[in-house]
Amino acid sequence: MSTPTTATLLPSSGTLLDEHDVLLLDLDGVVYVGADAVPHAPAALRRAVEAGHRLGFITNNASRPPETVAAHLRDLTVPAADEDVVNSAQAAADHLALRFPAGSPILLVGTTGLRVALEQVGLRPTEDRHEAVAVVQGFSPDLGWRQLAEATHAVRSGLPWVATNLDATVPTPGGPAPGNGLLVDLVARAAGRAPDVVCGKPERALFDAAVQRLGAERAVVVGDRLDTDLQGARTAGLRGLLVLTGVTGVRELLAAQPHERPTYVGQDLRSLEDAHPEVVVELADGTATASCRRARVSAGPSGLDVRAEETGPDGLDVLRAATAAVWGVRDAGTPWGAEVVTAAVTVVEGALRTSA
């Protein structure tokens, strides 16, 4: 006998633009990668603005000030005002400004964006750990050994330590590269302790600030990372759209834990203009079977069985069904070994290539 269950991926009654008033967008891997726009992203965002939606850009990247980010977006023909950009450097600076009086020297381990954020709240960036009252660390592609060593000495001395974010990687045109989280981890391992505070995603501070700034009533978070964008959406009580233009691929999506799962999945930002289909899951005898329109996937201890008469208008119905089936069987406690996951990824990626 089968038992119906609720898929984590949810349907939309209309398009995502119909159902939401504000789009809270990650940048790297969603809108652009490096200097270049993600294909279709600028046009999709222009159409959203023309339809009356507001855009907020929330990023963990603390290397550039909001004005520079907004100018980059405008160069890519994305509608963006300076105040639409909210980053983790601002959140870190705000946190420190609440704790220390104006003019306090803060050891800066980062670059221009973090320096500007500190100065805007009245704090004084310094490179001298002997005068600093706290340490703040954000991503910089030019961060070197001497800066990391200075940070380590300051942290070991007991100074409060704030990290803008813990992203393990950043997207680049050549693929993922080391991010701030790995650099923070170097200091943590050398100093023997973790940061006292992390201000970026998946913490909800950035999302709350963006919702308040934009006056959002029905915001949707759009991101490419499960552990920051989508986990942050859940933390903030918002729905989240995962786009497959950045870090997260099929393997990562199938392995997603409940606290980081998206509400919707799309190829790219054009999926904001789609009505997302219902996915129905049934559990029976240790196997989960999920149906998404005319795609049907069963997942169990022996692997995946995929039957797809059609892959859907955007080619993702097999992925949606497989995702829901794998999540369902794993959540039910059915053994799901690494070799089965690998086989599942192969099957789903093959179906996606066939539908492309």
Side-chain angles (χ1 to χ4, degrees), residues 74-192:
R74 291 191 292 270
D75 287 343
L76 299 175
T77 71
V78 174
D82 295 352
E83 60 270 20
D84 295 337
V85 179
V86 184
N87 66 27
S88 60
Q90 293 171 304
D94 288 344
H95 172 81
L96 289 165
L98 291 174
R99 182 166 182 182
F100 298 101
S104 295
I106 307 296
L107 182 65
L108 173 65
V109 188
T111 189
T112 305
L114 190 51
R115 179 182 296 277
V116 170
L118 291 172
E119 292 172 343
Q120 286 178 338
V121 297
L123 298 172
R124 179 166 63 86
T126 181
E127 296 179 359
D128 183 357
R129 64 181 168 89
H130 297 289
E131 69 166 348
V133 297
V135 182
V136 63
Q137 183 172 353
F139 178 73
S140 168
D142 301 317
L143 204 61
W145 181 88
R146 293 187 184 280
Q147 287 175 290
L148 294 172
E150 193 75 358
T152 299
H153 298 323
V155 170
R156 284 181 65 88
S157 75
L159 289 184
W161 180 23
V162 176
T164 59
N165 69 87
L166 297 180
D167 291 4
T169 62
V170 293
T172 72
N180 194 56
L182 297 184
L183 300 174
V184 168
D185 187 56
L186 286 176
V187 175
R189 293 175 66 182

Side-chain angles (χ1 to χ4, degrees), residues 43-98:
L45 294 179
R46 290 197 302 272
R47 290 194 296 271
V49 170
E50 290 166 1
H53 293 74
R54 292 205 63 185
L55 309 181
F57 303 96
I58 49 177
T59 176
N60 271 354
N61 191 330
S63 63
R64 299 188 297 171
E67 296 80 7
T68 303
V69 173
H72 180 195
L73 289 169
R74 291 191 292 270
D75 287 343
L76 299 175
T77 71
V78 174
D82 295 352
E83 60 270 20
D84 295 337
V85 179
V86 184
N87 66 27
S88 60
Q90 293 171 304
D94 288 344
H95 172 81
L96 289 165
L98 291 174

